[in-house]
Amino acid sequence: MRPLLDRDAELVVITAALDALGNGGAGSLTVVTGGLGMGRTALLRALPKVAEERGVRVLTASGAVHERDFGFGVVSQLLTALIPGDTNALPGDCVPPPQGSERDAELLDLIAEHSAHRPLLLLVDDLQWADAPSLRWLDRLTRRLPCLDVALVVAVREDGSVGSHTHLHRLTDHAHHILPLRSLTAAGTAALVAAHTGRPVDPAYADACHRTTGGHPLLLTATLAALGREEPTAERAKEVDGTRLLTLHDRFAAVLRYQSEAVWSIAKVLAVVDEAADDELTGQLTGLDDTGRTEAIAALRKLGLLANDPVPRFIHQAVRDGVEQAMTPADAEDTRVRAALLLHEGGHPPESAARLLVATSCHTPWAVGVLRTAAATALARTDPNAAARYLRHALLGSSPEGPDRGELLADLATIECAFAPQAALRHFAQALLLLPDPADRARVAGRIPPFLLDGCPPAAIESVVRAHGELGVPAPADDTARGLALRLEARLRHRSVAGPGELFQCADRLRALGPMPDLDTTADRELITVLLHGATLTQRTTAAEAVPLAERVLQHEPATPDHIHTALPLLADILIASDSLATIGPWLESAYQRARRDNASVARAVIAVELTQLALAHGRIDQARAHADEALSLGVTAWATLQTLTPLALVAAQARDTELTVRLLTDGRDGADHGHRPALRQLLRGSAAAQRGDLATALECLLDWGRSAERADWRNPALVPWRSWTAGLHYRMGRPERAHDLIEEEYERAVRWGGPVAIGRAQRVRGALRKGVDGLALLHESAQTLDGSVNMLERARTSLLLGRRLLEAGRTAEAERRLTQARVDGLACGVPWLARLADDALHADAGAHRADAIASLTRAERHVAGLAAGGASNKEIAERLDVTSRAVEKHLTRTYRKLSIRGRTELVAMAGLLPIEATPRPRPPTRPLRP
C-alpha cells in the first residue's frame, strides 16, 4: 500500500472534526474534491484508523456508475452494519419513496440513536455516482448534523459527466469544509518513488518523474509500475519521459465516455489536433459556441486531464492515447481530415496540417500539396526526418507510374541522403525510371552524391550514363544545362565508376580546360576536383602541379557538412598524397563541428572517415583509431561500401588491430561489383593474414589487390603503396630479387610524383633490403627526407630501422639517439609495438655495453662495486675490506667512469651483473687492549 503523501493539511481538518464529536452534537460535513486519480479514495482509506484511535465507529459506502439506478444503494452500504440481523429493515431494491417519507425519518433516527451511544464517521466515496434516493437522504442528514455526533466525509469528482443530481449540489452547499486535492509536490514525488523502489532516489530521477507526470498521483504510480523496481539512478532518468502507460488507456476512455457530448467533442479535437487547436478551429470542428467550448474545457480541467496552461492540452500522452482508443477509426480519420483542410484554408503553417494528414488515408491533390510544402518547411528548419515522413505519405497519393511520383521520389531521396543513404540510392534509381523528360532525369541524376555511386548497381550507373548522353552538349548561354552536364560528368568520372579506362583520361580532360580552369560555380569545382583526383591517382600530374589547383578549389568552398554530397572529399586524397595538410585539416575540422552541431549522423560519419585519413597522413594512429571508432559508432558500415572505408582498413593494418580488421570484413558491404577496381576486401584479408603471421596468404592477397590497382590505373605510390607492402613480404620469405624489383619501381614513381612521404618510405624499404654501407646510406637518406615531412609514423619507422643498423655497425651513440627518437615518436603516434621494439633494441645494446664495461673492472673495483650495489655504505665496505674510506671512494669513482653511470643509484640496477657477494660480513670482535 502506497503512503499518503502531501495530505497533512486535509488530515488536520478531518481530525479536528472527529475530535469535536462526543459532546452531544457537533457533527460536520467535509467534502473532498479533486480530479481523476488525484487521491480522493486514498485519503478516505486512511481515515478509519484515525477514527478508531478516537473511539469513533466508521461506516463506509461508495457510489458506482453502473448502480445509479439502484434505489438507496449507497444508504444500504452505510447502514447495513447497524442492522445486521434485519435484512428487511432497509429500503433495498424498491421504488424510491417520495421525499420526506416516514422511512427516511426512521433511518435518520437510526443514525441519531447509534451516534448517541458512540460517535460515527460516515465515509462515502465517489458521491457523484450515488443514486438519487441516497443523495436525497444524505441531504436531509446534513441538515441534522449540528445536533448529532456524526462526521460525514464524502469524496466528489466534479466534472461535466451526466448523472449529477440536484441533491448532490444541495448537499455540497451545506459542507462545513471543502478540501480540493492538488498534485504532489516535488518532495512528495521523490518520497513516493523511494517508497515504490525501496532504494535511495537520485534527484535527477525524481525530477524526471515530477516533470513528466506533474506530480499527478495516478500518472505517477502508473509510471513507476511501468518502470519496475530497478534502481532510480540519474542514468535511468531519461527512461521516464518515454514510458507508455498502457494500463490507463481504458480508464481514461471509460471516464470520457460518460462525459457530456460537448466535453467528449472537445476531447476528440484535442487528441487529434493537439497544439493547433486554437479557439476558432475547435469551434469549427465541434460546432460549439464560445460558452459551450469554455464550459467543456472547464470540465476537462476539473477532471484533471488538462495541463495547467492557458492553451488547453492534455496533461500526459496517456490521456490522448485513451481518447484515441475510445474513438472509432472513421471518427478519428474524419476529424483529422477536416482539421487539416481547415488549417490549410485558414493560412496556418503547412506542417500543422501535414502532421494530421500523415495519420490519414487522404490523398487528394490539396493534401499532397500540403505535404510537399510541409516537407520543404521541415527541411528549412533542419529536420530531414520529418520532411521525409511527409513525402513518404505523399507518395501514397501519387500515381503508381507517373512523373509526379518520380518527382516525389527524387525529393525524398535528396532528403534521405542526410540520414538513410541506401534508401536514398534506391529512390533515386526508381525516380530515374519514372521521369520521361531527359532534362528532368539529368537533374535528378546530378543530385546523387558521388560517394553513393561507389555502391550503385550497374542499372543505376547506366541510368546516369543515359541521362548524361540524352542531355547532350548544352548551349554556351544555357548555364543550367551546363551545370547539369558538369555534375553528371563529375559523377561518372568519380573513382571511374562508369568503367575501366575512364580514370586515365582525366588528366587530358583537365589539361583541355587550360592552366587556370574556371572555378566560379559549384559544378565547375566539382568536375575539377574529380579530374585532378584522377590525374593524381594515375600519376599523370605531380604533387607540385596538383597542390595549387586543389588549394584554389578549397578556397572557394565553405567548410560545411554538405560537402560530403559532392566530389569534394576527393580533395583530401589529393592534398594528403602531396603532403600538403595545412589547409585541409582546419577545413575538415570546421565541417565536422557543424555536422556535430546539426546532429547530421551521415555527414559526421563521412567526415570522421576523412579525419581518419588525415590523422593517418600525420602518422597519428591513436587519433585515426578514435575517428574510425566514431564512424563505426554512427553506423557507417550499414550503408558505406568498403571502398569508402579504405582509411579504416589502413588504420587496422598500421595499428595491427585484428579486431578492427575482422569487424570491417564482417560488417562492411562490398557494394556493386565494379570488377575494374581493386576490392578492399582483399586488402583486409591480406592485413589479417599478416597480423596472424600467415605471410604466404598475406602476400597472395596484397599482390592480387596490387594487380587490380594497376589494371584500374591506380598508380600513385603516395596513395596505394602496395609495392612497399609486398616487397617486405617477399624479402621475409627469402625472395630478395623480387623485393628489389618492386621497391625500385615504387621509388621511381615516388620521385616522379614528388611527395616526401612516398619518397622517404620507398628509400627506407630500399635500405632495409640492402646490407652494409649501401643500406645504411639509403636509411640515412630516408631519415633526411622524412625529417621535413608531416608523417611522424614514417619518421619513427625509419628511425627504428636506422638505429638497429647503426648498432650493428658499432655506432652506438648515434644508434641510441635514433632508437630513442623512434621510441618517443612511436608513443606519440599511438603505436606501442614500435616503441617496444625501439626499447628492446636500446636495452639489448645497454646490456651488452655494461657487460663489456664490467669485464674491464679490476678485481678490487668489482669487489667494492658489488658491496655497494648490495646496499653497503662506504664505511661498511672499508671495514669489511680493511681499507680506508678514501680508498673505497677512489674505487667507486673509477667504477662509475668505466660503467658510464652517474652514481650509486644506477649501480644498484646493475647488481645482477656483479659476481660479488653483496651483503657485508660482520667483522670478528677485536681483542680488548691490555692495560
Side-chain angles (χ1 to χ4, degrees), residues 359-375:
T360 72
S361 58
C362 178
H363 300 136
T364 59
W366 72 266
V368 174
V370 167
L371 289 165
R372 294 194 70 165
T373 306

Side-chain angles (χ1 to χ4, degrees), residues 12 29 83 134 206 357 367 405 425 442 467 519 551 581 603 637 700 707 711 718 746 789 795 833 858 877:
V12 167
L29 168 62
I83 318 174
S134 293
L357 290 172
R405 184 175 184 82
L425 184 57
L519 299 178
E551 295 284 2
L581 310 181
T637 55
E700 180 183 355
R707 295 187 191 104
R711 289 193 298 270
E746 176 152 316
S789 77
R795 293 202 305 269
W833 60 264
T858 65
I877 296 172

Side-chain angles (χ1 to χ4, degrees), residues 619 792-793 796 820-835:
M792 186 187 300
L793 179 58
T820 300
Q821 189 61 49
R823 181 181 182 279
V824 171
D825 287 346
L827 291 174
C829 291
V831 187
W833 60 264
L834 191 148

